Amino acid sequence: LAPEVVVHTDRERPEESVARILAYLEAAGYLPPAAGIIPPHGGRLVNRLATPEQAAALRARLPALPRLTLGPRALAVLDLLAVGAFSPLEGFLGRRDYESVLERMRLANGLPWSIPITLPVTPAEAERLAEGTEVALADAAGRVVGVLALQERYERDPEREAEAVYRTTDPAHPGVAVLRRQGHVLLAGPVTVLERQRPAQFAAYALDPAETRRQFAARGWRTIVGFQTRNPIHRAHEYLQKCALEVADGLLIHPLV
């Protein structure tokens, strides 16, 4: 058999499986768009949170797994992978996707993608991790928050990545500065997340992608404008948002501060 759509009932919520089937039927023209909301990037909303059964099996294997301690930035990326914010990615990019993003701003399958999602480590850390094995991912307190199925290790050139992604190698650029501080070896593979990184403040507004989509549907919004801001909203931002609301049903403000 060659299935046209596959659902993963062992790690997806029922609504996610249903959404996957409906998205395929709509894309194939068998059904008209029901909600009128654009589908998730890549066509499906990824969920890499462990089910209770998966979590129990992983925790039983943890004592035998090598452990890698992640910093705040990597932990945040792991959490975004868990809830599908980086859909359709299921983990950290392998070399083929990484090179395609740098050269074409697309994943290897042609899907637009502008910044590589990677897990950088030092050569010493990479040396003790074998491809084809699992790696426990821990926070600074030693709490294991997820597991990486390590498929690949490869080196990157930070200067080349900086020029390709940010169009500069100036260390004053914050993105370039981060690249220079990170390790030059990248680990690739899908992740399974055991524990979320919950914000200490404004938790009520920290909505996951599935939650924002439910909010859109509850409000009857068919067209939504997303506004991502790195600083407090000022008058020019306010003007843009008011203009957007003249042509769209709703506005999603996505602050990075």
Side-chain angles (χ1 to χ4, degrees), residues 1-17:
L1 296 176
E4 295 177 279
V5 61
V6 177
V7 296
H8 303 281
T9 56
D10 61 329
R11 60 174 185 263
E12 290 180 339
R13 293 187 290 270
E15 59 266 33
E16 292 175 320
S17 297

Side-chain angles (χ1 to χ4, degrees), residues 36-54:
I37 300 174
I38 189 170
H41 196 52
R44 66 187 181 92
L45 188 60
V46 167
N47 175 19
R48 300 302 298 176
L49 293 170
T51 63
E53 295 78 12
Q54 288 176 316

